[in-house]
Amino acid sequence: MIIKDFRREFYDVIQHQRVLVLVAFDVDAICACKILQSLFQCDQILYTIVPVSGREELERAFIENSEGIKHVIMINCGANIDIVEELQPEEYIKFYICDSHRPVDVHNVFNAVQIKLLMRSSELSVPEYDEVFRDDDEESDMDSGNDSDESETQSSRKRKKFDDAAIERRMEKRKWEENRNKVLFEYMQFSTYGTSSALLMFELAWKISKDSNDLLWLAIIGVTDQYIHYKTPREKYIEDVMALQSHVSRLNHKDDEDIISINCLKIMYDDELQLTMYRHWSLFDSICHSINMACKFKIWTLKGQKRLHEFLAEMGLPLTQCKQKFASMDSSLKTNIRTMIQENMNKYGLVDEDVILPSFFAQYGFKNKLCATDVTCVTVAILEHVEKGKTPTDSFLKAMDVLSRSNTAAMEKGLELAKRQLQAIITQVQTFLDMHQVISAGPFLYAFMQEGAPDVKLFAHQQCVMRMARFTLEAHCSVSRNKKARNLPLVLGVPLDSEKGTILVIGIPPLSMDDERKNFFGKAFEQAAASTNCRTFHDLFDTFIMEMKSEDRSKFFDALISLLN
């Protein structure tokens, strides 16, 4: 059931109760969790936070931590699973699901007793109840009276009438089931995303008058995470940014700036260059590792490198300045960098959307000025970097910790991890293109990373493989002579566990569908695996990513090709 009043139907209900919070492994979920954690600390609500990466962990975490719990909050997990069927909870346990994954399982939508959805109802387009659920009365219409009082003719006539009615009911039921399957397929066909969970939690904090700049910054990072991981289209991102901007104006408006302590967090809205971490890197390296710019210049080719050098020269930027740290550049060049790029971009086939992104900056003290996109990249890098002898939960806690503004040392370390991740992505994409490993299978493109490739373990994570798939698709389309390339989706495979012989497979939609960001691979993967009995593992909350046995690869792809044809 969809909740309309988050405060009355959710927050007031869990007051003075101990709650279990199950959180997915993504930045938006971590930000939403930290906002909720702040509210719980204000109101002294007891809570247990458990990170979960997939359905198996979700089930295990619930079983291990549900003793004495009446309220379970699920952040970016659980919406697209029939929770009651999956977890078999006691009747008194209530689930509050704040999840941006769409579509939402119909059982969760229509369960008014145990499931409460913390979502915007305007974003859900659910089938009618009667189309997917049916109450069948199998009561016999046969007269229970004594047949001995009736003549044989009357009895046979009555039986025939009953048989006709039963046949009619069965035909009606079959038609209804056929229609139900069609309606459900159309509803479940595409994976999409709704509003950021962090933004919804911030709006709750605002409604109960407990909002602050720190919580607003977390909401901004949650919205940014959705955009840079290709979950929401640019139009939706800008819509959310406009909503956030009104809060930024409200919370950062002061009549006398002198009264603000230098250690206070200040948030500013401004247009940002779409150059990854350029303030913490050299301008040249940032351009080479930013998807839009790298693909426009084709920087993996000698011709592309030459064009980039020409572009920088035309802007009046010496190569020595561009290749040193941005912080060490000449101050007159640094301050005008955005204007210089905008003035010269048209000649090189760049448009505003490639170069400029409306975004936010946070500043505390004199040095610590951070852009939301940079913080998101750092948090992802820490979340997906599992050190030797450590567990994914340790990385989750470090990612939560880096979002605390006092933790500048962790932020510095995270910046280096994020750079390394991007360098590995660009190296691998260049390998794909040099070796002509992006192949057209007819209805889609596919590429497979070789076993034993450098930094292969970096790509065995959802967010990183998502960005690499997108980079690969854009890079291939920028060099391909096939005009249909932009209309083709991409399937990418990455070695996962050499001992078990498994690979991680992701499917992403074509570039021509960027305005909608609808992904049909979740259903396609399920159907292709079912038709061939391939050993696949659909555990992740993002249904378009799955694990598969390496040996089943060829028969799975044959099935996928025939299905999508």
Side-chain angles (χ1 to χ4, degrees), residues 398-433:
K398 278 185 181 176
M400 278 190 88
D401 197 34
V402 81
L403 290 170
S404 303
R405 63 167 128 143
S406 57
N407 207 336
T408 48
M411 184 62 73
E412 291 294 326
K413 189 181 174 187
L415 283 163
E416 294 310 309
L417 285 175
K419 288 176 195 174
R420 188 185 157 206
Q421 201 178 60
L422 279 167
Q423 285 162 341
I425 289 173
I426 195 84
T427 303
Q428 186 54 46
V429 170
Q430 189 163 354
T431 304
F432 282 146
L433 297 177

Side-chain angles (χ1 to χ4, degrees), residues 77-231:
C77 58
N80 51 11
I81 305 165
D82 182 353
I83 287 297
V84 175
E85 178 69 26
E86 189 92 6
L87 301 182
Q88 300 289 317
E90 298 292 339
E91 287 181 7
Y92 58 82
I93 297 178
K94 301 278 190 294
F95 293 90
Y96 300 90
I97 304 175
C98 183
D99 188 356
S100 59
H101 291 94
R102 302 286 183 273
V104 179
D105 190 281
V106 288
H107 295 88
N108 294 337
V109 177
F110 292 112
N111 185 328
V113 181
Q114 283 187 277
I115 309 290
K116 314 290 179 187
L117 301 175
L118 307 173
M119 297 169 187
R120 289 179 179 167
S121 55
S122 58
E123 292 177 357
L124 298 180
S125 172
V126 188
E128 293 296 320
Y129 179 87
D130 293 338
E131 288 182 310
V132 287
F133 296 104
R134 173 186 171 112
D135 301 319
D136 278 326
D137 295 326
E138 296 297 332
E139 291 175 12
S140 173
D141 288 339
M142 290 281 280
D143 191 2
S144 58
N146 194 346
D147 283 347
S148 60
D149 296 337
E150 298 177 317
S151 70
E152 210 171 295
T153 314
Q154 283 177 317
S155 181
S156 61
R157 197 181 293 130
K158 197 166 188 180
R159 196 175 292 111
K160 185 177 183 301
K161 191 178 177 184
F162 172 76
D163 288 344
D164 289 346
I167 290 165
E168 200 175 311
R169 274 203 308 275
R170 278 200 296 271
M171 284 176 66
E172 190 189 317
K173 188 178 180 183
R174 193 178 300 121
K175 273 185 188 173
W176 179 85
E177 282 174 352
E178 283 172 6
N179 184 60
R180 179 183 190 269
N181 291 338
K182 185 188 167 192
V183 165
L184 281 179
F185 178 80
E186 286 172 0
Y187 174 63
M188 304 292 286
Q189 190 177 4
F190 294 105
S191 304
T192 57
Y193 292 86
T195 298
S196 150
S197 297
L199 178 54
L200 293 177
M201 288 298 102
F202 173 76
E203 286 175 352
L204 169 66
W206 172 47
K207 281 170 186 169
I208 59 178
S209 304
K210 289 185 170 71
D211 57 328
S212 66
N213 257 351
D214 288 287
L215 300 191
L216 176 56
W217 182 239
L218 291 169
I220 288 166
I221 294 166
V223 168
T224 308
D225 170 61
Q226 282 198 320
Y227 182 72
I228 69 169
H229 287 105
Y230 312 101
K231 294 178 179 180

Side-chain angles (χ1 to χ4, degrees), residues 147-410:
D147 283 347
S148 60
D149 296 337
E150 298 177 317
S151 70
E152 210 171 295
T153 314
Q154 283 177 317
S155 181
S156 61
R157 197 181 293 130
K158 197 166 188 180
R159 196 175 292 111
K160 185 177 183 301
K161 191 178 177 184
F162 172 76
D163 288 344
D164 289 346
I167 290 165
E168 200 175 311
R169 274 203 308 275
R170 278 200 296 271
M171 284 176 66
E172 190 189 317
K173 188 178 180 183
R174 193 178 300 121
K175 273 185 188 173
W176 179 85
E177 282 174 352
E178 283 172 6
N179 184 60
R180 179 183 190 269
N181 291 338
K182 185 188 167 192
V183 165
L184 281 179
F185 178 80
E186 286 172 0
Y187 174 63
M188 304 292 286
Q189 190 177 4
F190 294 105
S191 304
T192 57
Y193 292 86
T195 298
S196 150
S197 297
L199 178 54
L200 293 177
M201 288 298 102
F202 173 76
E203 286 175 352
L204 169 66
W206 172 47
K207 281 170 186 169
I208 59 178
S209 304
K210 289 185 170 71
D211 57 328
S212 66
N213 257 351
D214 288 287
L215 300 191
L216 176 56
W217 182 239
L218 291 169
I220 288 166
I221 294 166
V223 168
T224 308
D225 170 61
Q226 282 198 320
Y227 182 72
I228 69 169
H229 287 105
Y230 312 101
K231 294 178 179 180
T232 52
R234 189 180 175 97
E235 193 179 322
K236 167 68 178 159
Y237 168 75
I238 289 173
E239 185 187 309
D240 290 341
V241 162
M242 291 301 108
L244 288 163
Q245 193 192 354
S246 62
H247 292 294
V248 168
S249 302
R250 178 174 59 82
L251 291 169
N252 291 270
H253 175 71
K254 297 279 187 247
D255 293 329
D256 184 1
E257 288 192 357
D258 295 335
I259 63 168
I260 306 175
S261 163
I262 197 64
N263 292 321
C264 280
L265 176 68
K266 303 177 193 71
I267 302 175
M268 297 146 280
Y269 167 82
D270 200 0
D271 284 340
E272 167 68 335
L273 283 171
Q274 284 201 72
L275 298 178
T276 312
M277 298 182 289
Y278 72 94
R279 289 184 186 82
H280 313 280
W281 216 346
S282 72
L283 186 65
F284 188 83
D285 280 331
S286 177
I287 290 173
C288 290
H289 292 86
S290 301
I291 292 186
N292 291 344
M293 298 289 264
C295 292
K296 287 288 180 185
F297 284 105
K298 305 181 186 64
I299 55 95
W300 49 85
T301 63
L302 284 171
K303 193 177 175 184
Q305 289 274 349
K306 190 180 171 188
R307 281 189 79 230
L308 177 55
H309 289 165
E310 281 175 16
F311 177 60
L312 295 171
E314 197 144 326
M315 288 194 294
L317 290 170
L319 210 54
T320 48
Q321 289 279 331
C322 296
K323 287 192 173 183
Q324 65 183 348
K325 277 203 163 185
F326 185 79
S328 308
M329 279 179 75
D330 190 295
S331 58
S332 61
L333 297 175
K334 272 197 302 187
T335 49
N336 296 316
I337 196 77
R338 195 174 78 197
T339 313
M340 287 171 162
I341 290 176
Q342 283 181 292
E343 283 172 357
N344 293 278
M345 65 184 184
N346 293 340
K347 187 180 173 183
Y348 290 84
L350 296 165
V351 295
D352 260 347
E353 285 189 13
D354 296 324
V355 176
I356 300 296
L357 183 74
S359 190
F360 298 91
F361 300 86
Q363 185 159 11
Y364 37 92
F366 291 106
K367 284 176 72 177
N368 306 310
K369 185 178 181 181
L370 292 165
C371 176
T373 51
D374 294 350
V375 175
T376 306
C377 288
V378 167
T379 312
V380 169
I382 290 171
L383 181 65
E384 298 191 333
H385 176 72
V386 182
E387 293 174 22
K388 201 172 182 180
K390 301 285 185 182
T391 65
T393 301
D394 295 325
S395 299
F396 180 91
L397 295 171
K398 278 185 181 176
M400 278 190 88
D401 197 34
V402 81
L403 290 170
S404 303
R405 63 167 128 143
S406 57
N407 207 336
T408 48

Side-chain angles (χ1 to χ4, degrees), residues 510-546:
L511 298 182
S512 57
M513 284 179 66
D514 251 11
D515 292 342
E516 295 175 311
R517 296 266 159 93
K518 286 182 175 180
N519 195 323
F520 54 80
F521 276 110
K523 269 282 174 224
F525 283 169
E526 277 178 32
Q527 290 179 341
S531 66
T532 52
N533 293 323
C534 286
R535 291 162 293 173
T536 56
F537 188 41
H538 306 264
D539 183 60
L540 299 172
F541 303 119
D542 291 312
T543 55
F544 52 87
I545 308 177
M546 65 166 194

